[in-house]
Amino acid sequence: MFLPIASKPPRISMGFLSAAHAMTLSASSFLSRVTKHAVIGPLACLLFCSTSTLAQEKVQISVDASKPGAKIDRNIFGQFAEHLGQGVYEGIWVGPDSKIANTRGIRNDVVSALKAIKVPNIRWPGGCFADEYHWRKAIGPQRQVTLNPNWGGVIEPNTFGTHEFLDFIEQIGADAYISVNVGSGTPQEAAEWLEYLTTPQQTTLAKERAANGHTAPYKIAYLGIGNESWDCGGNMTPEYYLSQLKIYSRFVRNFNPAQQDKQQMLKIAVGPGGGEARWTEWTEHVMKAWQNHQWSWDMNGLSMHNYTVVRWPPAFASVGFGETEYSQILKSTLDMEGLIDKHSAIMDRYDPQKKIALIVDEWGAWYASLPGSHPGFLAQQNSIRDAILAALNLNIFVRHADRVRGANIAQMINVLQAMILTDKDKMVLTPTYHVFKMYVPFQDASFLPVTFNAGSYVHGDITLPRIDAIAAKDATGKLWLEVTNVDPNNSVEIETSLNGINAKSARGETLTAPKVDSVNTFEAPNTVTTKPISVKVEAGKVTFKLEPKSVTVISVEQ
Ligand code: AHR
């Protein structure tokens, strides 16, 4: 049956704190990473006024290239593709007989756009969908037609199954992150799926795989053991889930000879979906068990889900909003930092060596469905606000690179905070897509410490850090700096000093838009798009100007 999304329980409501407290925590933990913060209290400003401290001054950013930190795992730029709405059917799969240009049924335009952002991995088939997915129904010439009860109760044709997904990720050059069905499946079903996928030996399942077109074993980089098992995945207690985790971890094996050592498949356990006691207890329970685990089970990562929604059900519009909603959403998104800190602190107690990765495998903005769209399809537009939101979250992940070694934005195409929107043969790249493209150089680069005076952007009773920045050094020695200007009204002059490198030349590009709710549409696909900016290098300092509400990436050659 169709479960209207509005009936979803308030999973993160206002998160783990009151609205006022949440802002203090997120802002203070954010600000503890900058040298000083010019405070302007909300009382100094009338309701709905907007202002920016230090608007006219040059902001100094210092990057210490002599102290490289953790590697920024490229997998934090991962994607999530669930069988939901038009995410898979139409977004990826049009079938080999379609008039839309395709390779074995997979859209060519989408593949080439995704190749350009170097998608590291794709999580599939869900989401809530994964806990009702039975892989055998979607292989071979005779597909079973089933239902998708989570997302609109629509027909699931199963024409996009295991082989089609693996063909798709091979076409774009990404790794597979497969979530197995713990909620309504069995360990045997999942174990047989992995044998089917990965064994090189001539078992009956391997022969079936070959008969279906793939003789060689597949590589499966990640195995998700359940999804939100505390909610749509079966409403389990942490104790019950842990008993399932041990069984699945033991028996769902990867037999690919190439994955027995360094390339081993990483097993990701279900983790928290917020900061409230039920989720800190969940993290505590799983991590404590892992610390004392016996040889017969193991895990490599703990998943975390956190949507920017402000309150359930999602009510904010994705287009046609003003500065108040712009600032409210961006304030809410900064809760990500407090949430990661909270769960990382628990993980640190049981895993001080940080062997277990925190994988934020569902994140992004969740708005009200577009008027006229199916409410179960989670269709929304994507504006410059989402681009800024994406940059702020990616920067949070980067600052926690030692623990956050994977993340998957929800969701890749046509669903929630998408990279790509499609309508039949048309395709448009969203502002969020452009951010992911701008961040490609940060994939697997080394984190560099950055200090700066963030200043404040104030709108009504909301105060946010005005700018955010991260830096990294890539394998060739090139330095990359990202600076986000949250302020939608004022530009910011930046002067960067670099310790440990002798800057010779620099260049940059920026993403901005005319209005806080500017979007790209099929009719006007380039309203929000990147453009080069002028960057000066003088006496080793790099200076440039940030436009209001912008995401900017600078590269510096030494
Ligand atoms: O991304 C949409 C849904 O959000 C996923 O299916 C589920 O895991 C989460 O509740």
Short mmCIF file of all heavy atoms in Angstrom, two decimals, residues 5 8 11 80 82 84 123 126-129 151 227-228 230-232 305 307 312 362 366 378 410-411 415-416, ligand 1:
data_model
loop_
_atom_site.label_atom_id
_atom_site.label_comp_id
_atom_site.label_asym_id
_atom_site.label_seq_id
_atom_site.Cartn_x
_atom_site.Cartn_y
_atom_site.Cartn_z
N ILE A 5 4.22 9.89 2.51
CA ILE A 5 5.44 10.23 3.21
C ILE A 5 5.13 11.07 4.44
O ILE A 5 5.84 11.04 5.43
CB ILE A 5 6.44 10.92 2.26
CG1 ILE A 5 7.82 10.91 2.89
CG2 ILE A 5 6.03 12.31 1.88
CD1 ILE A 5 8.36 9.54 3.12
N LYS A 8 5.31 9.50 7.79
CA LYS A 8 6.57 9.09 8.42
C LYS A 8 6.69 9.75 9.79
O LYS A 8 6.40 10.92 9.93
CB LYS A 8 7.77 9.54 7.56
CG LYS A 8 8.19 8.50 6.55
CD LYS A 8 9.34 8.98 5.74
CE LYS A 8 10.68 8.67 6.38
NZ LYS A 8 11.08 7.29 6.30
N ARG A 11 11.44 11.60 12.67
CA ARG A 11 12.66 10.88 12.99
C ARG A 11 13.72 11.78 13.58
O ARG A 11 14.39 11.45 14.52
CB ARG A 11 13.24 10.22 11.74
CG ARG A 11 12.42 9.07 11.27
CD ARG A 11 13.13 8.29 10.22
NE ARG A 11 13.41 9.12 9.06
CZ ARG A 11 14.62 9.44 8.68
NH1 ARG A 11 15.67 9.05 9.35
NH2 ARG A 11 14.81 10.19 7.61
N PHE A 80 23.40 8.06 -3.96
CA PHE A 80 22.40 7.10 -3.51
C PHE A 80 21.31 7.03 -4.57
O PHE A 80 20.75 8.06 -4.97
CB PHE A 80 21.86 7.59 -2.16
CG PHE A 80 20.71 6.81 -1.59
CD1 PHE A 80 20.60 5.43 -1.76
CD2 PHE A 80 19.73 7.45 -0.84
CE1 PHE A 80 19.54 4.72 -1.22
CE2 PHE A 80 18.67 6.76 -0.29
CZ PHE A 80 18.56 5.39 -0.47
N GLU A 82 17.88 4.97 -5.18
CA GLU A 82 16.88 4.03 -4.68
C GLU A 82 15.80 3.83 -5.74
O GLU A 82 15.54 4.73 -6.56
CB GLU A 82 16.26 4.61 -3.39
CG GLU A 82 15.20 3.71 -2.77
CD GLU A 82 14.81 4.12 -1.35
OE1 GLU A 82 15.17 5.23 -0.93
OE2 GLU A 82 14.16 3.30 -0.67
N LEU A 84 12.75 4.54 -6.36
CA LEU A 84 11.85 5.51 -5.73
C LEU A 84 11.51 6.55 -6.79
O LEU A 84 12.42 7.15 -7.37
CB LEU A 84 12.59 6.16 -4.55
CG LEU A 84 11.84 6.99 -3.50
CD1 LEU A 84 12.77 7.46 -2.40
CD2 LEU A 84 11.05 8.13 -4.05
N ARG A 123 25.10 3.83 -3.83
CA ARG A 123 24.36 2.96 -2.90
C ARG A 123 23.03 2.58 -3.54
O ARG A 123 22.29 3.46 -4.00
CB ARG A 123 24.15 3.70 -1.58
CG ARG A 123 23.40 2.94 -0.52
CD ARG A 123 23.47 3.70 0.80
NE ARG A 123 22.75 3.03 1.86
CZ ARG A 123 21.56 3.41 2.31
NH1 ARG A 123 20.96 4.47 1.82
NH2 ARG A 123 20.97 2.75 3.30
N GLY A 126 18.30 0.56 -2.10
CA GLY A 126 17.59 1.47 -1.18
C GLY A 126 18.47 1.65 0.02
O GLY A 126 19.58 1.10 0.06
N GLY A 127 18.04 2.40 0.97
CA GLY A 127 16.75 2.91 1.30
C GLY A 127 15.77 1.83 1.83
O GLY A 127 16.05 0.64 1.94
N CYS A 128 14.61 2.38 2.20
CA CYS A 128 13.54 1.49 2.68
C CYS A 128 13.26 0.39 1.67
O CYS A 128 12.90 -0.74 2.04
CB CYS A 128 12.27 2.30 2.94
SG CYS A 128 12.46 3.58 4.20
N PHE A 129 13.43 0.68 0.38
CA PHE A 129 13.16 -0.30 -0.67
C PHE A 129 14.02 -1.55 -0.48
O PHE A 129 13.58 -2.67 -0.77
CB PHE A 129 13.43 0.34 -2.04
CG PHE A 129 13.18 -0.58 -3.21
CD1 PHE A 129 11.90 -0.75 -3.71
CD2 PHE A 129 14.23 -1.26 -3.81
CE1 PHE A 129 11.67 -1.60 -4.79
CE2 PHE A 129 14.01 -2.11 -4.89
CZ PHE A 129 12.72 -2.28 -5.39
N TRP A 151 7.13 3.44 -1.70
CA TRP A 151 7.19 4.67 -2.48
C TRP A 151 6.09 4.72 -3.53
O TRP A 151 6.32 4.53 -4.71
CB TRP A 151 8.58 4.85 -3.11
CG TRP A 151 9.65 4.79 -2.06
CD1 TRP A 151 10.63 3.86 -1.92
CD2 TRP A 151 9.81 5.70 -0.95
NE1 TRP A 151 11.39 4.12 -0.81
CE2 TRP A 151 10.91 5.25 -0.19
CE3 TRP A 151 9.14 6.85 -0.52
CZ2 TRP A 151 11.35 5.90 0.97
CZ3 TRP A 151 9.57 7.49 0.63
CH2 TRP A 151 10.66 7.03 1.35
N ASN A 227 18.89 -1.32 6.41
CA ASN A 227 18.72 0.14 6.26
C ASN A 227 17.72 0.62 7.31
O ASN A 227 16.62 0.07 7.41
CB ASN A 227 18.16 0.46 4.87
CG ASN A 227 17.76 1.93 4.74
OD1 ASN A 227 18.63 2.81 4.63
ND2 ASN A 227 16.47 2.22 4.79
N GLU A 228 18.11 1.61 8.06
CA GLU A 228 17.22 2.20 9.08
C GLU A 228 16.45 1.08 9.78
O GLU A 228 15.20 1.11 9.85
CB GLU A 228 16.30 3.25 8.46
CG GLU A 228 17.08 4.41 7.88
CD GLU A 228 16.24 5.65 7.52
OE1 GLU A 228 15.00 5.59 7.58
OE2 GLU A 228 16.85 6.68 7.18
N TRP A 230 15.93 0.59 12.65
CA TRP A 230 15.17 1.12 13.79
C TRP A 230 13.83 1.71 13.34
O TRP A 230 13.05 2.18 14.17
CB TRP A 230 15.99 2.20 14.53
CG TRP A 230 16.93 2.98 13.66
CD1 TRP A 230 18.28 2.78 13.53
CD2 TRP A 230 16.62 4.08 12.78
NE1 TRP A 230 18.82 3.67 12.62
CE2 TRP A 230 17.82 4.49 12.15
CE3 TRP A 230 15.44 4.77 12.47
CZ2 TRP A 230 17.88 5.55 11.23
CZ3 TRP A 230 15.49 5.82 11.55
CH2 TRP A 230 16.70 6.19 10.95
N ASP A 231 13.55 1.70 12.01
CA ASP A 231 12.35 2.36 11.50
C ASP A 231 11.80 1.54 10.34
O ASP A 231 11.34 0.41 10.53
CB ASP A 231 12.72 3.80 11.10
CG ASP A 231 11.53 4.66 10.71
OD1 ASP A 231 10.47 4.48 11.30
OD2 ASP A 231 11.69 5.53 9.82
N CYS A 232 11.92 2.03 9.10
CA CYS A 232 11.31 1.31 7.97
C CYS A 232 11.95 -0.05 7.74
O CYS A 232 11.36 -0.91 7.10
CB CYS A 232 11.34 2.15 6.69
SG CYS A 232 12.99 2.37 5.98
N HIS A 305 22.28 8.54 9.06
CA HIS A 305 21.38 9.27 8.15
C HIS A 305 20.99 10.60 8.78
O HIS A 305 20.64 10.64 9.96
CB HIS A 305 20.09 8.46 7.87
CG HIS A 305 20.36 7.24 7.05
ND1 HIS A 305 19.36 6.36 6.68
CD2 HIS A 305 21.51 6.74 6.52
CE1 HIS A 305 19.90 5.39 5.94
NE2 HIS A 305 21.20 5.59 5.85
N TYR A 307 18.89 14.10 7.34
CA TYR A 307 18.34 15.00 6.31
C TYR A 307 18.18 16.40 6.87
O TYR A 307 17.91 16.58 8.06
CB TYR A 307 16.97 14.48 5.84
CG TYR A 307 17.09 13.27 4.95
CD1 TYR A 307 16.94 11.99 5.46
CD2 TYR A 307 17.39 13.41 3.60
CE1 TYR A 307 17.08 10.87 4.65
CE2 TYR A 307 17.52 12.29 2.77
CZ TYR A 307 17.36 11.03 3.30
OH TYR A 307 17.50 9.93 2.49
N TRP A 312 9.39 17.37 10.52
CA TRP A 312 8.60 16.41 9.75
C TRP A 312 7.13 16.73 9.91
O TRP A 312 6.71 17.08 11.00
CB TRP A 312 8.86 14.97 10.22
CG TRP A 312 10.25 14.53 9.96
CD1 TRP A 312 11.28 14.54 10.85
CD2 TRP A 312 10.80 14.02 8.73
NE1 TRP A 312 12.42 14.08 10.27
CE2 TRP A 312 12.15 13.75 8.96
CE3 TRP A 312 10.25 13.78 7.47
CZ2 TRP A 312 12.98 13.24 7.97
CZ3 TRP A 312 11.08 13.28 6.48
CH2 TRP A 312 12.43 13.01 6.74
N GLU A 362 23.03 8.65 3.90
CA GLU A 362 21.86 9.40 3.41
C GLU A 362 21.94 10.79 4.02
O GLU A 362 21.90 10.94 5.24
CB GLU A 362 20.54 8.72 3.80
CG GLU A 362 20.24 7.50 2.98
CD GLU A 362 18.85 6.90 3.24
OE1 GLU A 362 17.91 7.68 3.54
OE2 GLU A 362 18.73 5.67 3.15
N TRP A 366 15.48 17.77 2.29
CA TRP A 366 14.22 17.07 2.03
C TRP A 366 13.11 18.10 2.16
O TRP A 366 12.82 18.55 3.27
CB TRP A 366 14.04 15.93 3.03
CG TRP A 366 12.92 14.98 2.74
CD1 TRP A 366 11.72 15.26 2.18
CD2 TRP A 366 12.90 13.57 3.04
NE1 TRP A 366 10.94 14.13 2.09
CE2 TRP A 366 11.65 13.07 2.61
CE3 TRP A 366 13.80 12.68 3.61
CZ2 TRP A 366 11.28 11.74 2.76
CZ3 TRP A 366 13.44 11.34 3.76
CH2 TRP A 366 12.19 10.87 3.32
N LEU A 378 8.84 11.93 -3.98
CA LEU A 378 9.84 12.84 -3.40
C LEU A 378 10.56 13.69 -4.46
O LEU A 378 11.79 13.79 -4.48
CB LEU A 378 10.87 12.06 -2.56
CG LEU A 378 10.30 11.05 -1.55
CD1 LEU A 378 11.41 10.52 -0.66
CD2 LEU A 378 9.19 11.64 -0.70
N ALA A 410 21.39 12.05 -0.91
CA ALA A 410 20.10 11.49 -1.29
C ALA A 410 19.31 12.54 -2.08
O ALA A 410 19.03 13.60 -1.54
CB ALA A 410 19.33 11.08 -0.03
N GLN A 411 18.99 12.14 -3.29
CA GLN A 411 19.37 10.99 -4.08
C GLN A 411 19.82 11.48 -5.45
O GLN A 411 19.50 12.58 -5.84
CB GLN A 411 18.20 10.03 -4.20
CG GLN A 411 17.74 9.47 -2.86
CD GLN A 411 16.81 8.27 -3.04
OE1 GLN A 411 16.55 7.79 -4.14
NE2 GLN A 411 16.28 7.78 -1.92
N VAL A 415 15.10 12.67 -7.39
CA VAL A 415 14.55 12.41 -6.06
C VAL A 415 15.33 13.25 -5.04
O VAL A 415 16.56 13.29 -5.07
CB VAL A 415 14.67 10.91 -5.68
CG1 VAL A 415 14.19 10.65 -4.26
CG2 VAL A 415 13.90 10.03 -6.67
N LEU A 416 14.61 13.94 -4.15
CA LEU A 416 15.22 14.76 -3.09
C LEU A 416 16.31 15.67 -3.69
O LEU A 416 16.10 16.28 -4.73
CB LEU A 416 15.72 13.87 -1.94
CG LEU A 416 14.61 13.05 -1.25
CD1 LEU A 416 15.17 12.13 -0.17
CD2 LEU A 416 13.53 13.94 -0.65
O1 AHR B 1 15.80 8.69 0.86
C1 AHR B 1 14.47 8.40 1.14
C2 AHR B 1 14.31 7.51 2.37
O2 AHR B 1 14.75 8.17 3.51
C3 AHR B 1 15.08 6.22 2.37
O3 AHR B 1 14.45 5.21 1.68
C4 AHR B 1 15.14 5.89 3.83
O4 AHR B 1 16.28 5.15 4.17
C5 AHR B 1 15.08 7.24 4.51
O5 AHR B 1 14.10 7.27 5.48
#
